[in-house]
Amino acid sequence: MYCLPSIIHQKATSPIFLQRVLNTLLFTISHFLKEKSMSFSMSTSQVHASNSPPPNPQSQQIQTQESQNPEEIDYSGRAQWLRAAVLGANDGLVSVASLMIGVGAVNRSSRAMIVSGLAGLVAGACSMAIGEFVSVYTQYDIELAQMKREKEDKEAGLTKEEKENLPSPIQAAGASALAFASGALLPLLAGAFIHSWEIRLAVVCVVTTLALAGFGAAGAILGGANAKKSAVRVLLGGWVAMAISYGVLRLFALTLHESSSL
């Protein structure tokens, strides 16, 4: 049998025992340093609080009023880009939906509606981009000429800040094309995978109706206007455009069919 001193000596010299002792020491040291750092930070904060000047009641009142009255949103600053975005999306939605419904009044084939909708998307996006590019470039030239006339030194060029305030024709063209395509994709995707003519027309009309109401309400909310009135106004305009397109082309198809039967 081992005697007690030899057993204690073996446990004390074993690696597991030494590791446990080392971990205990490290934990005790870290806990001690943590308590010291916390007490030091608390004493430092108390010193800063005692050295800081007393609060001014007037400044506290101003801060309270500012917190209670948050800064109002300048909706007028959103008018330019919001008009272009809403106009482009509504234009794409109504144009492509009316084109698909009008073609559907003449031809019941799903392929004809899809091809006409895709053609309307590409042509409309290009038309919007070119029109916006030309329009904004004209505005760019006018503002640039005015800024040059107002400069005292006629030979000096424009500064970086002055150039940044000028409108960008490329950005305007890209935004208009993207907005038009985003609105045009909704009726195109809604009727692309439906074979039945009646169901396809109904789905395109329903999706277009919901999108028109959504675009109208979203534009009004972002601009701080009445969402209900804006949604109704946009919705009625889209319905009129789709009804006229369907009615005119349907009447044309009937007239053409009667004339060919004679």
Side-chain angles (χ1 to χ4, degrees):
M1 293 185 61
Y2 292 101
C3 61
L4 184 60
S6 62
I7 294 174
I8 296 174
H9 177 72
Q10 288 179 358
K11 288 185 177 181
T13 56
S14 63
I16 298 175
F17 180 80
L18 293 176
Q19 185 177 2
R20 290 178 178 176
V21 172
L22 182 60
N23 291 337
T24 304
L25 290 175
L26 291 175
F27 175 78
T28 305
I29 294 171
S30 62
H31 185 69
F32 176 78
L33 293 176
K34 184 178 181 180
E35 288 182 351
K36 289 294 183 181
S37 62
M38 290 177 63
S39 61
F40 177 76
S41 61
M42 290 176 63
S43 61
T44 306
S45 61
Q46 290 176 358
V47 171
H48 284 296
S50 61
N51 293 331
S52 59
N56 189 1
Q58 185 176 2
S59 62
Q60 287 184 350
Q61 185 178 2
I62 293 174
Q63 292 177 358
T64 305
Q65 291 178 356
E66 289 180 353
S67 62
Q68 293 178 353
N69 299 325
E71 184 180 357
E72 295 183 356
I73 301 175
D74 184 14
Y75 291 104
S76 61
R78 301 178 178 180
Q80 186 172 3
W81 66 265
L82 186 60
R83 180 198 62 82
V86 173
L87 177 62
N90 284 335
D91 193 5
L93 179 65
V94 175
S95 298
V96 173
S98 300
L99 183 60
M100 293 177 66
I101 291 173
V103 172
V106 180
N107 193 335
R108 292 175 175 262
S109 173
S110 62
R111 181 177 297 179
M113 286 186 65
I114 295 171
V115 171
S116 63
L118 184 60
L121 188 153
V122 176
C126 294
S127 176
M128 288 287 292
I130 294 172
E132 194 71 16
F133 180 83
V134 173
S135 176
V136 176
Y137 216 111
T138 303
Q139 181 183 356
Y140 174 87
D141 291 337
I142 294 173
E143 293 186 7
L144 181 62
Q146 182 64 27
M147 292 172 66
K148 288 182 178 180
R149 284 193 297 267
E150 293 177 353
K151 290 183 71 69
E152 297 179 357
D153 188 3
K154 302 298 182 181
E155 297 180 358
L158 297 178
T159 62
K160 184 179 179 180
E161 290 76 11
E162 290 175 339
K163 291 180 180 179
E164 290 178 352
N165 292 328
L166 292 173
S168 176
I170 297 177
Q171 290 181 357
S176 297
L178 182 61
F180 186 93
S182 300
L185 277 175
L186 296 176
L188 182 61
L189 294 177
F193 306 101
I194 300 175
H195 297 287
S196 175
W197 177 74
E198 293 85 358
I199 298 177
R200 185 168 61 249
L201 283 181
V203 169
V204 170
C205 291
V206 170
V207 170
T208 304
T209 298
L210 295 176
L212 284 172
F215 285 156
I221 292 173
L222 291 174
N226 192 321
K228 185 177 180 180
K229 290 183 179 180
S230 178
V232 171
R233 182 170 56 248
V234 174
L235 188 59
L236 290 177
W239 280 350
V240 170
M242 290 187 293
I244 292 175
S245 299
Y246 181 85
V248 169
L249 288 177
R250 187 63 179 171
L251 182 61
F252 174 77
L254 293 175
T255 304
L256 185 63
H257 178 71
E258 291 178 358
S259 61
S260 61
S261 62
L262 294 177

